[in-house]
Amino acid sequence: MGSPKKNENKGFFAAMTSGFSMFGSAMTRSVNGLLSYEGVEVINPEGGKEDAEEEAQRGRWKDEERDSYWKMMQKYIGSDITSMVTLPVIIFEPMTMLQKMAELMEYSYLLDQADECEDPYMRLVYASSWAISVYFAYQRTWKPFNPILGETYEMANHGGISFISEQVSHHPPMSAGHAENEHFTYDITSKLKTKLLGNSVDVYPVGRTRVTLKRDGVVLDLVPPLTKIHNLIFGRTWVDSPGEMVMTNSTTGDKVVLYFQPCGWFGSGRYEVDGYVYSAAEEPKIMMTGKWNEKISYQPCDAEGEPLPGTELKEVWHLADVPKNDKFQYTHFAHKINSFNTAPAKLLASDSRLRPDRYALEQGDLSKASTEKHSLEERQRAEKRARETKGHKFTPRWFDLTEEITSTPWGDIEVYQYNGKYTEHLDTAGSASSASSEADLKSIEFNPWQYGNLSME
């Protein structure tokens, strides 16, 4: 399958395949000699060469913290640092990875539209726009908390959706999630893989993301691009996701291939997304273009990828209003995720909202957040030692390990499947409309270890 051609006359697309080489020539400049650290580069997608020294000094770190942390991190360059490094709370946001998984549900109405759509190619336009929509949230420069083994996150009161996610493995860190309403089911098994490059880190989304549309039983599989986080220690931190996103209709063989342009000189190309919906015979049917931080549009095309005469570019998705000058760059939906207003009637004590370190950070108490984070990590280590001493094995409560192994561009992953028990739990617990008060929910003590979900080998 070839890459989309640049449309010189209409100007719909930037050159895509040639764009990947631009990343290496993006606005980079070494700060070797400037700060006496070897191999560190500062990239400012919106700046120029003349501000290299000023940009190198930017960031959220105090000088003494930054310098000591850089010396500590040097030994991990080239390594996967997913779980081997204890990170300071100064770089965290008051949200966990389990909650971040739920952020894909903000524009879930696009999946409702995909389910209702009879045109197989427009179905992929709606579904892939849903997959793109989360990238505005993913550009946040703060790190979410790693979940404790057995930790969960629940969401209700949004588009008729019930959502549950659970930390199913600690080493390697793996999460599983399930969402469902009358139109679709969403299932994900995620195992992040990272590579530290000094002042930046590559994040590889090793996982399986699958959407099943209920009306026709159509199964859609998603492979997202990697993410690059620049200026971890020196400079202004920013995030880019250059590369290819592929969503495949496993039922018919149709697919959509979208190219996330890498950031070029002075920010050129940043946020841009272009691509096509292809038939199973690899013939382009609909072209898509836009920016993942603004809107996505589509237009029917011919076999050469050119717009069909008499058609026009139509918008399929645009970004909702977002808060201005939000400390953690949160959207309104991100705040909603942290709220107890989205909690079900009987909130599990293992829910991320109840984490004392997360809540302390949300309240702006970094000292308490750091203390609580350390305490939870120590409790997790103690629980592991007790399990191993007794010969017990951790068993997730809401997801079962299957025999399926899924291949991704960055490695294979074992698949966890939702077992249906959470739906039974909700039926027993009662509807969200009869939920306890926020004060009652906040009084629940965080405890991901309470359910006795340990079984003998």
Side-chain angles (χ1 to χ4, degrees):
M1 181 180 298
S3 300
K5 299 189 303 180
K6 183 180 180 182
N7 189 324
E8 299 288 354
N9 297 323
K10 300 296 182 180
F12 284 112
F13 294 95
M16 282 174 246
T17 52
S18 62
F20 291 110
S21 63
M22 293 171 59
F23 193 83
S25 61
M27 193 69 267
T28 64
R29 55 269 180 196
S30 173
V31 295
N32 295 346
L34 186 105
L35 295 173
S36 301
Y37 298 131
E38 295 296 326
V40 180
E41 288 187 323
V42 175
I43 304 171
N44 177 12
E46 300 170 353
K49 292 182 179 179
E50 68 280 353
D51 67 345
E53 182 172 1
E54 178 185 353
E55 192 66 25
Q57 297 292 348
R58 288 181 184 271
R60 58 182 70 119
W61 298 87
K62 295 179 181 178
D63 288 345
E64 61 274 15
E65 293 174 340
R66 181 187 61 206
D67 294 352
S68 63
Y69 197 68
W70 167 244
K71 292 176 182 178
M72 187 269 286
M73 292 295 286
Q74 281 182 307
K75 63 182 178 181
Y76 296 111
I77 291 177
S79 302
D80 183 349
I81 58 168
T82 306
S83 59
M84 67 168 59
V85 181
T86 298
L87 300 171
V89 295
I90 192 173
I91 67 170
F92 280 72
E93 63 176 337
M95 184 182 290
T96 71
M97 283 299 301
L98 296 176
Q99 292 173 280
K100 207 170 180 75
M101 291 169 71
E103 285 199 80
L104 257 172
M105 293 296 106
E106 177 168 6
Y107 299 94
S108 59
Y109 69 85
L110 290 165
L111 291 182
D112 296 346
Q113 290 176 306
D115 182 54
E116 295 169 345
C117 182
E118 295 184 0
D119 184 320
Y121 307 123
M122 278 303 302
R123 180 179 287 153
L124 282 171
V125 170
Y126 289 122
S128 60
S129 296
W130 161 79
I132 293 170
S133 68
V134 77
Y135 278 84
F136 180 84
Y138 282 4
Q139 72 173 326
R140 292 199 302 266
T141 58
W142 307 89
K143 184 191 181 303
F145 285 92
N146 290 335
I148 300 295
L149 185 63
E151 185 175 335
T152 59
Y153 175 75
E154 306 173 77
M155 184 178 70
N157 300 330
H158 179 73
I161 293 170
S162 63
F163 177 94
I164 179 70
S165 55
E166 182 177 11
Q167 190 71 358
V168 296
S169 172
H170 182 56
H171 288 298
M174 291 181 67
S175 308
H178 174 83
E180 185 169 358
N181 70 1
E182 62 179 333
H183 290 288
F184 68 87
T185 60
Y186 156 81
D187 291 282
I188 181 171
T189 302
S190 175
K191 178 174 68 176
L192 291 182
K193 179 181 178 182
T194 64
K195 184 176 183 180
L196 180 67
L197 302 175
N199 196 36
S200 64
V201 64
D202 286 353
V203 181
Y204 305 96
V206 182
R208 193 200 71 171
T209 301
R210 173 168 291 176
V211 173
T212 302
L213 303 178
K214 290 187 173 181
R215 192 186 70 164
D216 297 329
V218 169
V219 175
L220 306 175
D221 285 319
L222 176 70
V223 178
L226 61 81
T227 293
K228 292 176 175 284
I229 305 171
H230 300 271
N231 299 346
L232 288 174
I233 304 170
F234 303 98
R236 183 186 305 148
T237 306
W238 64 282
V239 179
D240 199 17
S241 296
E244 184 178 87
M245 172 187 284
V246 180
M247 176 176 278
T248 304
N249 184 331
S250 300
T251 308
T252 65
D254 304 331
K255 66 174 60 177
V256 55
V257 182
L258 299 167
Y259 297 86
F260 286 57
Q261 301 295 337
C263 181
W265 287 85
F266 304 105
S268 67
R270 193 179 184 201
Y271 311 117
E272 293 180 7
V273 181
D274 303 284
Y276 288 107
V277 176
Y278 295 91
S279 69
E282 300 190 358
E283 180 180 355
K285 293 294 184 180
I286 301 176
M287 64 184 199
M288 298 179 64
T289 186
K291 293 186 175 183
W292 50 258
N293 69 332
E294 292 181 7
K295 65 180 180 179
I296 298 295
S297 300
Y298 71 95
Q299 186 170 3
C301 64
D302 60 23
E304 298 300 318
E306 303 293 339
L308 285 178
T311 64
E312 60 182 11
L313 202 63
K314 294 183 179 180
E315 182 181 287
V316 64
W317 165 82
H318 67 267
L319 183 72
D321 291 338
V322 297
K324 296 184 182 298
N325 302 317
D326 190 87
K327 179 179 180 181
F328 292 104
Q329 303 166 305
Y330 274 8
T331 65
H332 290 294
F333 186 73
H335 283 290
K336 185 178 179 180
I337 282 175
N338 267 338
S339 169
F340 286 94
N341 292 332
T342 54
K346 300 294 182 181
L347 186 66
L348 299 171
S350 50
D351 192 88
S352 295
R353 296 177 187 84
L354 303 171
R355 284 183 62 139
D357 52 355
R358 187 211 66 78
Y359 184 72
L361 182 59
E362 187 177 45
Q363 299 302 305
D365 191 338
L366 268 67
S367 177
K368 184 176 181 180
S370 180
T371 300
E372 295 287 2
K373 177 175 176 287
H374 176 73
S375 176
L376 285 176
E377 290 168 347
E378 286 299 310
R379 289 181 65 187
Q380 181 167 231
R381 295 185 185 101
E383 188 275 336
K384 180 183 177 181
R385 289 192 296 269
R387 245 190 306 126
E388 292 176 344
T389 299
K390 297 176 181 178
H392 288 181
K393 178 182 178 182
F394 173 80
T395 303
R397 188 181 187 192
W398 312 112
F399 296 87
D400 296 332
L401 179 62
T402 69
E403 296 182 355
E404 179 181 352
I405 303 293
T406 293
S407 296
T408 78
W410 308 283
D412 295 341
I413 185 172
E414 308 88 345
V415 174
Y416 283 80
Q417 187 66 39
Y418 173 63
N419 58 26
K421 294 179 180 178
Y422 180 68
T423 303
E424 298 172 6
H425 164 77
L426 287 179
D427 292 341
T428 302
S431 66
S433 62
S434 61
S436 303
S437 68
E438 180 174 337
D440 290 338
L441 293 174
K442 283 184 176 180
S443 68
I444 300 173
E445 181 180 357
F446 178 67
N447 187 358
W449 305 285
Q450 74 168 355
Y451 298 108
N453 53 357
L454 304 176
S455 63
M456 294 299 293
E457 292 276 13

